[in-house]
Amino acid sequence: MLSGTAEYALRAVVWLARQPDDQSVRASDLAESIGVPRNYLGKILHDLVRAGILESARGKNGGFRLATPPEELTLLRVVSSFDTIGVGAERRCLMGRPECDSSDPCPVHRRWQNASEAISRFFEETTVGDVLSDDRREGRSQADCRW
Amino acid sequence: MLSGTAEYALRAVVWLARQPDDQSVRASDLAESIGVPRNYLGKILHDLVRAGILESARGKNGGFRLATPPEELTLLRVVSSFDTIGVGAERRCLMGRPECDSSDPCPVHRRWQNASEAISRFFEETTVGDVLSDDRREGRSQADCRW
DNA sequence: CGATAACTTCATGTTAATATCTTATTATAC
DNA sequence: GTATAATAAGATATTAACATGAAGTTATCG
């Protein structure tokens, strides 16, 4: 469903969101924590900074942290820096037809619509804040996390 | 959502299902009809034969046609020859966690479940026969089809 | 100010998906 | 049975995703 890169980004953002007091985390530590290659994660984190999702600080005590309140950060915004999910008007046809909407549908259009809309809603409506709430409700802490 | 290859397979199967009297279609003609590179389609068709979804005949008047009644052929069976959709027990974690189920969920597990199940149901429950019914209901014929 | 710790950037390598080309192989028709 | 039309199969090319490595730049601390 998601590319490896988008998966990594999601892990990183969730991990940073769980950080108490918005503490910055160094790329190396983060890479080890979420099980992503150090150098590759560097690029991903930088992309997230350029997208305005994270902010970074150089030098001693530097690192990365969220630039946005978790409640306002949708999963769509996180993953769409890397993948084209295709929500709303940008929805891609399952069969790869260049034009495909209700007025000129591909053969599976009607039956795919339910699933397609469920996917869109998930990415558009779920925020990183929601994920943190779920965490708390299930009594999960950062220490429990493993990949 | 699907790989290019699985998309091509889906187009090919739907096209063949629409063929009157189970008539065979040559790979070259099929390739042109559905807009897929000739040689690449050859491989895909062969894979579908080995999966028992199509049958092929060589020599003059040869070609490919469905080996299964459309009503019994699910979209899952078609695409899973190429992609891992991850339905049922094989569902992949959205965040790439090796273990992720309701007893040990990843951070987004609960909220992703709805969409994930909608996807599974679509591929498991939709048959090629259903697609043909939709076609008829919408008064679409093979001639209308373009990619 | 100098050393160090960290992000930033660029160059390069690896792998899998996609696509093409060429040579078999096989069934049909005459 | 031979020619022909078609699939089957294997080798090779192209591209994008994934990953690594090394050098460059910037902020902080003593």
Side-chain angles (χ1 to χ4, degrees):
Chain A
M1 181 71 222
L2 294 178
S3 69
T5 307
E7 250 179 47
Y8 294 163
L10 204 51
R11 291 192 208 170
V13 166
V14 170
W15 185 272
L16 291 176
R18 283 205 273 237
Q19 213 52 229
D21 303 325
D22 265 4
Q23 264 186 331
S24 286
V25 178
R26 283 172 302 166
S28 305
D29 293 344
L30 185 52
E32 185 167 7
S33 300
I34 66 177
V36 174
R38 162 73 185 81
N39 289 299
Y40 196 46
L41 182 63
K43 269 176 57 157
I44 296 171
L45 293 172
H46 181 54
D47 287 347
L48 288 169
V49 170
R50 281 194 300 143
I53 294 169
L54 301 184
E55 54 190 32
S56 65
R58 299 211 237 199
K60 225 165 187 173
N61 303 322
F64 294 87
R65 59 178 185 171
L66 289 192
T68 315
E71 300 75 26
E72 297 170 16
L73 182 56
T74 65
L75 299 189
L76 178 62
R77 200 161 149 232
V78 175
V79 303
S80 64
S81 306
F82 307 96
D83 293 7
T84 304
I85 297 290
V87 303
E90 292 204 324
R91 196 154 67 201
R92 250 181 58 78
C93 172
L94 188 70
M95 298 184 73
R97 241 168 73 131
E99 303 250 333
C100 179
D101 52 38
S102 54
S103 77
D104 181 14
C106 80
V108 302
H109 190 84
R110 309 258 183 241
R111 289 172 193 268
W112 173 241
Q113 202 155 19
N114 274 336
S116 178
E117 283 170 0
I119 296 170
S120 292
R121 270 199 309 276
F122 169 78
F123 284 106
E124 287 174 320
E125 296 175 7
T126 308
T127 68
V128 174
D130 293 333
V131 174
L132 294 185
S133 307
D134 287 0
D135 262 14
R136 266 178 239 115
R137 187 170 316 118
E138 299 186 17
R140 192 162 38 210
S141 82
Q142 199 170 65
D144 296 330
C145 238
R146 65 181 193 317
W147 310 95
Chain B
M1 180 69 220
L2 294 178
S3 69
T5 306
E7 251 179 47
Y8 294 163
L10 204 51
R11 291 192 208 171
V13 166
V14 169
W15 186 271
L16 291 176
R18 284 205 273 235
Q19 214 50 230
D21 303 324
D22 265 5
Q23 265 187 330
S24 285
V25 178
R26 280 174 304 165
S28 304
D29 293 343
L30 185 52
E32 186 167 7
S33 300
I34 65 177
V36 174
R38 160 74 185 82
N39 290 298
Y40 196 45
L41 182 63
K43 275 201 183 153
I44 296 170
L45 293 172
H46 181 53
D47 288 346
L48 289 168
V49 170
R50 282 194 298 143
I53 294 169
L54 301 184
E55 54 191 31
S56 66
R58 301 211 235 200
K60 225 167 186 172
N61 302 323
F64 294 87
R65 60 178 184 171
L66 288 193
T68 316
E71 300 75 26
E72 297 170 16
L73 181 56
T74 65
L75 300 190
L76 179 62
R77 199 161 150 232
V78 175
V79 304
S80 64
S81 304
F82 307 96
D83 292 8
T84 304
I85 298 291
V87 304
E90 292 204 325
R91 197 154 67 200
R92 251 182 56 78
C93 172
L94 188 70
M95 299 184 73
R97 241 168 74 132
E99 304 250 333
C100 178
D101 53 37
S102 56
S103 77
D104 182 14
C106 80
V108 301
H109 190 84
R110 309 259 184 238
R111 289 172 192 268
W112 173 241
Q113 203 155 18
N114 273 335
S116 177
E117 284 170 0
I119 296 170
S120 293
R121 269 198 312 275
F122 169 78
F123 284 105
E124 286 174 320
E125 295 175 6
T126 307
T127 69
V128 174
D130 294 332
V131 175
L132 294 186
S133 308
D134 287 1
D135 261 16
R136 267 178 237 114
R137 188 170 315 118
E138 299 187 18
R140 191 162 37 209
S141 82
Q142 199 171 65
D144 296 331
C145 235
R146 66 183 192 316
W147 308 98

